[in-house]
Structures are given as structure tokens and as C-alpha cells.
Amino acid sequence: MELAFIIEKLILVTILFVLTLSIAAYSTWAERKVAAWLQDRVGPNRAGIFGLLQPLADGGKMFFKEEIIPSGSNKWLFIAGPSLALLVSFLGTAVIPFGQNIELFGRVVPLQVTDINVGILYIFGVVSLGVYGIMIGGWASNNKYSLMGAIRGASQNISYEIAMGLSIIALLLVTNTLSFKEIAEQQHGWHWNIIYQPLGFIIFLVCAFAETNRVPFDLPECETELIGGYNTEYSGFKMGAYMFAEYINMFVSSAVMATLYFGGYNYPGMDAVNSALGATWGPVIGIVVMFMKIIAFIFFFMWVRWTVPRFRYDQLMDLGWKVLIPLAIANIVITAIVITVVDKL
Amino acid sequence: MESLSGRKKVLEQKPMNFWERMYLPAILKGMGITFMHMFKKKETIHYPEQEREFSENWRGMHSLKRDEEGRERCTACGLCALSCPAEAITMISAEREKGEEHLYREEKYAAVYEINMLRCIFCGLCEEACPKEAIYLDGPIVPADYLRKDFIYGKDKLVEMPIKELEALKGATV
């Protein structure tokens, strides 16, 4: 392994880390802005122009707040909960290709931290670890509301992971690969997977809402019933870590959805653009397109949050087990039959 | 039973049909509604720069009025204190000395006049009770403060500014 390779990856990881953090920070700003717009308000506009310094003010506030660790709590696990949630949410970005190979200083740099051939499995592993942050935090708080939130979070995530996995299997029948890089390359131009897997995408989208604990599936932290759920006892920066983890999860799942179903960095007419701009600036356009898709998805997440009320818990379980899983299985069967028939013809 | 008002609505509790059970059409409809709200006029009043206009019958902070010659109108009759349902007003009267005719209109005046703004309910009964048209609730919102004692407003805060001073102030700013 040459030195340049290590430096290249180190820079890429650093950029990605900072980028993820800043996107998560500005998601908090965007959430408040979108909420305000949808409710005929203007949203934060005091800190800096358009309130753009609001995340800094919020972050500063989080740092200076008193950190309370309840005396009845398990101290180690109480700290481990938010740390785990934050750590795990960062891991997801490692396998997502943010652009084509880009030519920089005479080197061809892949815009993906690592292209492991089981990328989708990796994402699933990491996402299912995310529930431990909630479970540990909720349990360690030694608070009934937190425990309820943790239990809800655990059962909800486990239920929806099944439907999510099944919807991905149908996608894998189409793509024949688990590697994110190859899936992105297959969707060159406008051959996006959404065209072949519309039902799979809808199932995946619903499950993504459940996995990230966003409205209408925010039962683990519902403020009105559980006064905050698993993070009831958290304050200061640990609370901030949970909130950040949620927004990073949102970013990662937006990126995954954009890559799996909406062509990632691909866009119609990219060949012409690439040949016109060369091997350095062509991929840059691809990165911009990728991030536009991600931001559109993040906006969609927020848009849904400020439209739809929270599901009741039995409705949530009904939807997961009785609707989404049968639908996903039907989707697999239909996809398999169509693929077989098309191959035979 | 027959509805007397004619406004009674009987809701049917049908089981949901297939489309309704899918939730998605209803959700999409709702999202359409919220999206349209993004382009509507914002209701926000940007407070420190912009202020909401008070209505004509708005009752705010009290002011003790002066007459045309700048003399205090209040004669310390105590009717306002008597009419006050919240017991917010107290005063101590004094007799007008010779040479104070330019300060007080009547022969008796309020040496101390205090309104406890924490007790006041801004009902305006003092305004109605006053025979001398000396008190009106035509001021701004009573500002917030830190200590209870600071909410007891004396004459220094209540009495209207003399016309001359007011004009001098206006002349200075214009």
C-alpha cells in the first residue's frame, strides 16, 4: 500500500466526516425553516443572514448546558448510548459512492471511501446497530418513559428491517450485485432503478422513515406520549449527540436511497457533459447532482414530518407486518418472474 | 331525535376501504396542502422592527393626564382606588400650597399615586370612575421586570410628560 493511497483516503475520510457533520448541523436549521414555511411562518432569521448561524448558536448552547447524569442510571451505558448512536450513524457514509472516479493531480481518485463487494449488507449491518444506541440509552436512564421509548424503538426497527431487507432483495434481483459502486454504474444516464422497482422503492422509503425514527414513525421519542422517549433523561451534549445521530441517519438513508433507486451521481446527458468538461470537472457535476438528490430527499423527510401525524403503535405494527412484508414478498415474486420471462425471450 | 339547531351532523363510521387503508393517497393529499402553504403569505410580524397595531379600545399602561396648561388633573378623590376590583391603586393626598397653582389644577392633589401593575387587570374601571378625566389606560404594554417592587409604578412613571418638555423633546429629535 503506497503512501499516496493512504493520504488520499485520509483526505477523503476527513472531507466526508466534516461534510456529514455540517450537513447534519444544517439539517437542524433546514428542519426549522421547512417547518416554518409549511406553517406560514418565517423560521429562524436572527442569527446571521437567513438565520444561517443558528446551528452554531444551537451547538454552543448544547456545549454550555449542564450535563446531568441521573443518580439511578447506569453511568457507563448512559454515556455509551449516545456515543454508539453517533458512531454508528457515521459509519454508513463509508460505502456510498458520491461521484465517478475523478482525476486529480494526475491520479484517478474514486469518490468512495471503500468499495466493499457486500456494501448493501454492510449498510444493513450498520443501520441495525443503530438501534443499540436507542436501546442502551433508554435502558440506562432508569426512567420508565425512556424504557418505553427504547422498547418501542427496538421492536419498530426490527419489524421494519425485515420489510426493508425484502424490498432490497427485489432490487438485487435486478442489479445482480451488492456493491454500491456497481449499482451506481449500472444506472448510467437515466437507467435509474426506480423505473424497474417503483413498489420496492415505496416500501424502502417507508421503512427508511421507520429506521431513522422520523415522523410518522417517531414512536421511540414521541414527545406527547413519552416526553422525549429514550432521550428523556439526556441533557447537554449527549442529547445533542442523539439529535445529530438522527440527522446523520437521515443523510445516510437519503444517500442510500439516491444511490440505490435514483441513480446516485448519474443524470441524463452525463456522457456529453463528461466529454465536454474532462475527467476532473465532469465528475464534479456528478457530485453536485448526487448532493442535490440527497438534499431533495432530506427535504422530503422534513416535508413528511410536518404533514403527517404520528401513527398509533398498533397501526405501526399492522403496517409493518401485515402490509409492507406481504407487499415486499409479492414484489420479489413478481420481479423474479418478470426477470425469468425476459431472460428466456 | 330532531336537531333543534339544525346543525347536527351524524358521522358515518364505515370501515376503511382499500384506498383509505393504504394511507398513501391521503398522505399525498396532505402533503400537497402543506406544500401549497410554502408559497402563502407569512403571518409573522417581525417584532422589534415591526409592531402589531393596537385596536382602538386597547387598554395598556395607565397615564395620569395634565390639562391644557400642563397642570395635573388628578384631585386625589380616590374613586379610582375604590372602583378598582383588583385593589391595585393607592394614593396619598395633599393640599395645594400657594404658588403651586401652575402644577396642580385642583386644590387637592395626589402627593403619592401608586399602581401595582402585577395586581392590575386592565379592566379600565378607574378610567370610567374618574370624574376629572385624569387617568387613561392609553399607554403601551407594561414591560417585564425582575423584581416585584419594580412593578409598583409611582407618579414618576405614570404622570404624563409636561407639554413643554414633550415639545422640547420633539424639537430635539426632529
Side-chain angles (χ1 to χ4, degrees):
Chain A
M1 207 178 289
E2 48 182 327
L3 188 67
F5 177 77
I6 296 172
I7 292 172
E8 172 195 307
K9 287 298 179 197
L10 207 63
I11 293 172
L12 193 63
V13 167
T14 315
I15 290 176
L16 206 56
F17 184 73
V18 173
L19 204 71
T20 313
L21 266 182
S22 47
I23 284 188
Y26 274 93
S27 292
T28 63
W29 170 82
E31 175 108 81
R32 295 168 68 176
K33 272 290 189 196
V34 170
W37 290 335
L38 294 180
Q39 297 170 350
D40 298 344
R41 297 184 285 117
V42 286
N45 64 349
R46 295 286 149 176
I49 184 164
F50 299 126
L52 276 172
L53 298 177
Q54 195 67 42
L56 294 180
D58 285 345
K61 182 197 77 176
M62 291 282 188
F63 266 113
F64 289 114
K65 285 241 170 173
E66 185 184 0
E67 297 244 9
I68 298 166
I69 298 182
S71 52
S73 68
N74 185 325
K75 219 162 256 176
W76 273 107
L77 292 182
F78 192 77
I79 297 168
S83 321
L84 195 64
L86 198 58
L87 175 79
V88 165
S89 58
F90 272 116
L91 288 177
T93 49
V95 290
I96 291 161
F98 285 95
Q100 294 157 287
N101 292 348
I102 189 168
E103 214 178 288
L104 282 176
F105 311 112
R107 279 179 62 87
V108 176
V109 181
L111 289 170
Q112 184 183 17
V113 175
T114 172
D115 175 33
I116 46 178
N117 53 11
V118 289
I120 290 179
L121 271 185
Y122 168 86
I123 282 277
F124 267 77
V126 167
V127 164
S128 50
L129 275 177
V131 71
Y132 287 101
I134 292 173
M135 273 170 69
I136 289 173
W139 185 79
S141 302
N142 194 16
N143 174 318
K144 289 185 183 67
Y145 289 115
S146 304
L147 188 61
M148 289 267 267
I151 292 168
R152 284 180 174 195
S155 50
Q156 171 184 325
N157 279 28
I158 290 165
S159 317
Y160 277 77
E161 240 154 55
I162 299 171
M164 201 181 206
L166 291 175
S167 70
I168 283 295
I169 288 175
L171 180 76
L172 296 183
L173 290 174
V174 177
T175 60
N176 280 323
T177 173
L178 282 164
S179 151
F180 269 98
K181 194 185 180 73
E182 283 172 37
I183 290 176
E185 278 166 3
Q186 281 173 5
Q187 303 179 66
H188 194 81
W190 53 268
H191 295 280
W192 297 356
N193 283 331
I194 178 75
I195 300 166
Y196 309 109
Q197 283 292 323
L199 181 61
F201 169 69
I202 291 171
I203 296 168
F204 191 90
L205 184 72
V206 174
C207 295
F209 275 87
E211 290 289 310
T212 49
N213 298 322
R214 295 281 301 180
V215 177
F217 306 116
D218 66 333
L219 288 118
E221 50 178 315
C222 50
E223 293 89 351
T224 41
E225 297 165 41
L226 296 181
I227 49 170
Y230 61 88
N231 54 29
T232 304
E233 294 289 348
Y234 282 91
S235 56
F237 198 70
K238 289 200 276 296
M239 163 83 211
Y242 267 128
M243 229 170 69
F244 247 70
E246 186 188 319
Y247 283 104
I248 295 169
N249 278 334
M250 211 162 87
F251 168 66
V252 172
S253 49
S254 298
V256 168
M257 277 190 286
T259 311
L260 289 185
Y261 288 98
F262 276 82
Y265 48 78
N266 297 294
Y267 52 96
M270 60 189 294
D271 288 326
V273 174
N274 274 349
S275 56
L277 291 175
T280 307
W281 290 103
V284 169
I285 304 286
I287 298 172
V288 172
V289 169
M290 175 73 175
F291 273 93
M292 270 159 57
K293 285 173 185 171
I294 292 174
I295 287 167
F297 267 114
I298 291 178
F299 172 76
F300 185 76
F301 267 94
M302 292 170 181
W303 180 13
V304 168
R305 169 163 182 186
W306 296 102
T307 303
V308 184
R310 185 183 302 128
F311 275 76
R312 218 168 50 214
Y313 200 66
D314 62 309
Q315 289 173 330
L316 171 92
M317 283 297 160
D318 269 1
L319 186 68
W321 289 98
K322 292 189 194 161
V323 179
L324 291 182
I325 291 178
L327 266 180
I329 292 171
N331 190 33
I332 295 173
V333 173
I334 294 166
T335 312
I337 291 171
V338 170
I339 286 175
T340 319
V341 169
V342 169
D343 277 358
K344 284 277 182 289
L345 288 177
Chain B
M1 243 200 341
E2 190 66 24
S3 163
L4 288 176
S5 64
R7 289 194 298 253
K8 192 161 114 187
K9 256 189 198 170
V10 179
L11 292 178
E12 274 183 76
Q13 291 261 318
K14 284 185 295 190
M16 290 194 286
N17 65 28
F18 177 74
W19 282 103
E20 284 165 344
R21 256 184 297 140
M22 272 185 53
Y23 295 119
L24 283 178
I27 287 175
L28 288 180
K29 200 173 140 198
M31 287 175 71
I33 292 171
T34 45
F35 194 76
M36 289 320 287
H37 272 270
M38 278 184 46
F39 309 105
K40 287 204 174 151
K41 199 175 152 282
K42 312 292 181 207
E43 298 286 346
T44 308
I45 294 171
H46 298 260
Y47 168 58
E49 295 93 40
Q50 233 177 12
E51 280 185 32
R52 190 191 295 270
E53 271 182 40
F54 291 136
S55 71
E56 271 175 39
N57 55 356
W58 154 262
R59 294 193 291 263
M61 204 173 104
H62 314 64
S63 68
L64 290 173
K65 297 289 174 196
R66 292 171 188 277
D67 67 359
E68 306 75 38
E69 293 160 43
R71 301 177 297 185
E72 286 177 25
R73 304 180 77 110
C74 178
T75 183
C77 62
L79 281 177
C80 49
L82 209 63
S83 71
C84 182
E87 302 276 343
I89 304 177
T90 59
M91 68 190 75
I92 297 170
S93 62
E95 214 167 319
R96 186 177 68 184
E97 304 282 321
K98 261 222 155 51
E100 284 181 342
E101 284 88 352
H102 66 290
L103 291 175
Y104 311 109
R105 197 169 74 152
E106 312 289 337
E107 282 160 13
K108 200 177 92 178
Y109 69 95
V112 178
Y113 191 103
E114 282 180 350
I115 299 179
N116 187 337
M117 290 299 178
L118 291 176
R119 301 201 66 136
C120 179
I121 57 170
F122 301 95
C123 59
L125 286 182
C126 46
E127 196 176 88
E128 279 178 42
C130 187
K132 297 288 178 190
E133 297 186 349
I135 188 165
Y136 282 97
L137 277 76
D138 56 358
I141 298 169
V142 175
D145 219 322
Y146 293 99
L147 297 172
R148 277 169 182 274
K149 69 174 177 60
D150 293 335
F151 281 101
I152 299 172
Y153 282 21
K155 274 180 84 173
D156 53 327
K157 284 185 183 171
L158 292 172
V159 178
E160 215 181 25
M161 202 177 275
I163 297 164
K164 273 182 201 162
E165 277 182 40
L166 200 69
E167 271 168 5
L169 204 70
K170 268 186 190 163
T173 49
V174 170

